Amino acid sequence: SFHRILKEEIEQEEHLGLGTRTNIYSGTLRVKSEEDEDAGDSSVQKVKVVLKVLGSGHRDISLAFFETASMMRQVSHKHIVLLYGVCVRHLDNIMVEEFVQPGPLDLFMRRQQNPLGTPWKFQVAKQLASALSYLEDKKLVHGFVCAKNILLARDGLDMDEGGPFIKLSDPGIPITVLTREECVHRIPWIAPECVKNVNYLSVAADKWGFGTTLWEICYDGEVPLKDKKLTEKERFYAAECQLATPDCTELAELMTHCMNYDPKKRPFFRAIVRDIDMLVEQNPSIEPVPTPEVD
Ligand code: ATP
Ligand code: MG
């Protein structure tokens, strides 16, 4: 169940990049405000959106694409991207999402000249954990938690603006329709049990992905296992290896708990949020700046 958007309601603009089987564009959506539907043109607002287009060549996976859209339509959380709806435009299927700037966390972190502080990193980690705790409570699986799928709505570089503010993006095409090679390519984000069998995808897999994302945050957006070939990545999981331990000891410990090869031993996100709060309480130097609401 998802809201249908008419093709006349959207305008496609600049090409932003390629997702897995998708093309991503910026665009605008014309939305009528519900209160004054009869007021005519004056009630129509234009909002900047992102269009994720699954082209006509991929109609075989359109059902899987709609699965992602349906999951995103069930959530409403300040740290999760808003999905306006789905549009069928001729043979294309399109997810219409909130446009979030300055955009992906990994690119942002890699661009920084000055090191990002520990409070900044803790605030991002806590916001992500709270979004995933919300999904956990709803028994919803994201399926591709990684720094590239975290968008910054506010970079928080000016300390008076209340620190960073993130929104978790949609996971894209579910791993159940990816090729074996695409799954292996997603090591070390994809959980080890899912490489063995994609049907093992569960909330526990998001905990592993959260751990990998903590690693990316600690290493300022560096790509884990960047120089490894696919066979080396496969061997990494087969031998139950671990990523290098980050200097930030508090986040490193959390990361290690999440990246347990036994999915049952990974902590609840609720407990992770509590741990982060406790770490901050015990160590005032990492206390995040108070977060005002984003409009
Ligand atoms: P898929 O999830 O289908 O694999 P993807 O969206 O994850 O696709 P990305 O590489 O994350 O693929 O996105 C491509 C580019 O689109 C990103 O570099 C980012 O700049 C931009 N982008 C994606 N979503 C948004 C958004 N909600 N707001 C602004 N820019 C976005
Ligand atoms: Mg994405």
Side-chain angles (χ1 to χ4, degrees):
S1 60
F2 32 77
H3 178 244
R4 268 297 176 92
I5 291 172
L6 303 175
K7 60 179 190 293
E8 294 77 21
E9 291 174 313
I10 54 170
E11 250 167 74
Q12 184 170 309
E13 284 147 21
E14 190 192 340
H15 188 243
L16 297 178
L18 290 173
T20 310
R21 323 271 172 88
T22 53
N23 269 292
I24 295 134
Y25 300 87
S26 64
T28 47
L29 168 69
R30 279 182 292 118
V31 283
K32 270 196 205 127
S33 55
E34 269 174 40
E35 306 95 66
D36 36 34
E37 224 160 54
D38 311 315
D41 275 355
S42 57
S43 65
V44 174
Q45 278 195 324
K46 280 193 170 183
V47 288
K48 185 142 195 203
V49 290
V50 155
L51 305 175
K52 286 207 175 172
V53 184
L54 182 72
S56 56
H58 297 294
R59 304 209 83 210
D60 53 326
I61 54 169
S62 52
L63 258 177
F65 189 70
F66 288 136
E67 254 171 57
T68 295
S70 142
M71 184 274 291
M72 290 299 286
R73 274 302 281 185
Q74 290 172 57
V75 304
S76 167
H77 190 275
K78 63 180 177 178
H79 292 303
I80 302 179
V81 156
L82 173 69
L83 179 81
Y84 286 103
V86 167
C87 173
V88 177
R89 185 184 62 190
H90 310 293
L91 297 176
D92 291 341
N93 293 310
I94 306 171
M95 272 198 266
V96 183
E97 270 177 16
E98 162 187 25
F99 189 87
V100 183
Q101 251 176 340
L105 178 67
D106 60 335
L107 297 180
F108 174 81
M109 293 187 93
R110 276 181 242 147
R111 268 201 316 264
Q112 295 314 301
Q113 303 294 322
N114 305 314
L116 292 155
T118 308
W120 192 95
K121 292 183 177 182
F122 259 81
Q123 196 160 333
V124 168
K126 169 150 185 205
Q127 292 174 5
L128 178 60
S130 77
L132 292 168
S133 177
Y134 167 85
L135 292 180
E136 180 176 65
D137 285 346
K138 299 194 77 153
K139 297 189 167 59
L140 290 172
V141 179
H142 183 274
F144 194 15
V145 180
C146 59
K148 159 180 102 83
N149 279 341
I150 296 169
L151 303 163
L152 282 167
R154 186 177 65 211
D155 63 27
L157 290 182
D158 293 327
M159 281 318 254
D160 56 353
E161 61 173 1
F165 194 99
I166 66 134
K167 285 174 190 257
L168 177 62
S169 177
D170 74 87
I173 305 290
I175 57 167
T176 44
V177 295
L178 297 186
T179 64
R180 163 95 197 149
E181 198 176 320
E182 284 169 323
C183 287
V184 172
H185 185 76
R186 285 196 184 179
I187 294 174
W189 289 276
I190 188 173
E193 67 273 15
C194 298
V195 176
K196 287 187 186 139
N197 182 347
V198 286
N199 296 312
Y200 290 150
L201 181 62
S202 72
V203 174
D206 283 342
K207 294 167 186 177
W208 179 281
F210 174 76
T212 311
T213 308
L214 286 183
W215 190 97
E216 295 180 273
I217 293 169
C218 290
Y219 284 96
D220 300 304
E222 216 181 283
V223 180
L225 307 187
K226 177 177 64 191
D227 300 320
K228 296 259 187 290
K229 296 186 192 76
L230 288 181
T231 51
E232 291 173 311
K233 284 192 170 196
E234 269 185 309
R235 248 179 283 138
F236 185 86
Y237 274 5
E240 305 208 345
C241 296
Q242 294 289 342
L243 296 175
T245 309
D247 287 334
C248 179
T249 44
E250 292 88 355
L251 288 181
E253 199 185 330
L254 258 186
M255 185 195 105
T256 316
H257 284 155
C258 295
M259 300 184 82
N260 194 310
Y261 276 80
D262 182 352
K264 292 194 288 298
K265 292 199 175 135
R266 298 173 200 151
F268 288 105
F269 281 116
R270 192 187 287 255
I272 295 170
V273 172
R274 216 169 39 221
D275 283 354
I276 295 177
D277 281 338
M278 245 161 49
L279 287 168
V280 170
E281 249 172 62
Q282 289 160 5
N283 188 350
S285 70
I286 55 178
E287 183 151 22
V289 233
T291 312
E293 296 295 312
V294 155
D295 346 297

